[in-house]
Amino acid sequence: MARRFPNNPLVGVGVVIIQGDRVVMCRRAKPPRAGCWSLPGGGQELGETVRETAVREALEETGLSIQVRGLVDVIDSISHDDDGRIEYHYTLIDFAARVTGGTLRAGDDAAEVAWFTLDEVRALDTWATTIEIIEKAFERFADD
């Protein structure tokens, strides 16, 4: 199914990878929000659970192996074009995770990846909802 002007919502999975007081962010290489910073993640594939998607996407985009710690939130991202048509519609499932291995490097759909503190994330060019998700993840999972 087409990502742009889809017939149905698409499932996207994001990962808040926490290590100490830092979180991994990816600069998006492709639309929507190309050039903006976001959580690592991507589309769920047929036959894949959302947790499997989180693990796969984290590895593909960041080079990091992760262990999913828990669900942070589920949100909808709906964008319209200038004519009011739905250009993008994603149901986004965000998980918190910890690093279990690998080396941080940009891959797949990420133009760049880096570790940021929460204060640094707040200063990035990112979607306000992404900041809310990261704040929730730190509240619930930072001490696990």
Side-chain angles (χ1 to χ4, degrees), residues 13-14 20 29 31 33 37 78 81 86 97 138 142:
V13 177
R33 297 187 183 88
W37 288 93
I78 304 170
D81 70 2
I86 295 175
F138 270 101

Side-chain angles (χ1 to χ4, degrees), residues 54-139:
V55 170
R56 176 183 53 78
E57 286 289 343
L59 184 60
E60 289 176 1
E61 291 196 352
T62 71
L64 300 174
S65 298
I66 62 162
Q67 176 186 32
V68 174
R69 298 165 80 182
L71 179 67
V72 178
D73 206 347
V74 178
I75 57 171
D76 291 291
S77 175
I78 304 170
S79 302
H80 296 83
D81 70 2
D82 292 339
D83 296 324
R85 296 179 302 158
I86 295 175
E87 187 171 12
Y88 297 100
H89 183 168
Y90 290 95
T91 299
L92 303 172
I93 303 168
D94 292 303
F95 290 100
R98 69 168 51 99
V99 176
T100 59
T103 302
L104 188 65
R105 56 136 184 87
D108 197 34
D109 292 340
E112 183 179 356
V113 295
W115 288 101
F116 293 94
T117 65
L118 188 51
D119 285 338
E120 291 169 335
V121 168
R122 291 181 180 122
L124 293 175
D125 179 13
T126 190
W127 189 30
T129 304
T130 298
I131 296 170
E132 293 171 13
I133 293 295
I134 294 168
E135 290 171 342
K136 285 181 186 180
F138 270 101
E139 287 170 14

